[in-house]
Each structure stands twice: as structure tokens, then as C-alpha cells.
Amino acid sequence: RELAQADREGRCVVLPCKIGDTIYQVDYMTHGEALRAGVPEKNDPRSKRKFGRRKAEYLPLMVREKKMVKSLYSEFGKSVFLTRTEAEAALRREQDG
């Protein structure tokens, strides 16, 4: 009854996968990942430290494998995808401008 009421009110959402399933997210590399990948560090005046992690404009995007959580639902098709192939295609589109 409660679920039917929520559905009538437009509060029900069907997730594209189960919570805990593997998904692929296009995300910025961390500063450490960029250094390990050999990405040259730029002297960017907009770079700053926040919570001990360096945030900088030069950090490139990468495809990151993650576990699905509810908070990622709104990012499906934008930065979160069900397959690595879809995520890599989105990454290429982003890099091509």
C-alpha cells in the first residue's frame, strides 16, 4: 500500500542496476594518480588544497570502477555508466570537446 501510494505521488524510482553492482564513473584523477601516470604538474594559481587533497585544473579525467550507491543515480548517462565501453566513449567525447 505504501509503495503504491509513493508511486502515485511520483516518488518511486527504478534504478538501472542494484545497489552494490559495479558501475563506471568518469572522474578526475587524484593528484597522486596524475603523478603516477606521468601527467606533468602545472603551476596553476587556481590549484589549492582541500581536506589534504590537492585540487588542480590540470588533473585529467579517467574511468573509475565503483560500486553503485543511491547517490549516483542522478549521474547516470552523464558521468556514471553501466559498462566500461560507455564510460570510455563519454570520456573521449569530453576530451574531444
Side-chain angles (χ1 to χ4, degrees), residues 40-92:
E41 187 173 356
K42 296 179 183 173
N43 290 326
D44 187 343
R46 291 172 288 188
S47 66
K48 56 186 165 246
R49 289 193 177 275
K50 182 176 181 180
F51 305 117
R53 296 180 70 185
R54 188 176 183 137
K55 303 288 183 187
E57 293 291 321
Y58 79 92
L59 294 175
L61 291 169
M62 66 178 287
V63 174
R64 193 180 301 283
E65 187 175 300
K66 297 180 106 176
K67 296 294 181 191
M68 175 62 183
V69 293
K70 285 186 254 180
S71 62
L72 291 176
Y73 172 73
S74 64
E75 295 300 314
F76 262 92
K78 301 173 193 169
S79 67
V80 175
F81 304 90
L82 290 174
T83 67
R84 180 174 288 279
T85 305
E86 291 173 318
E88 289 172 345
L91 177 60
R92 280 191 298 278

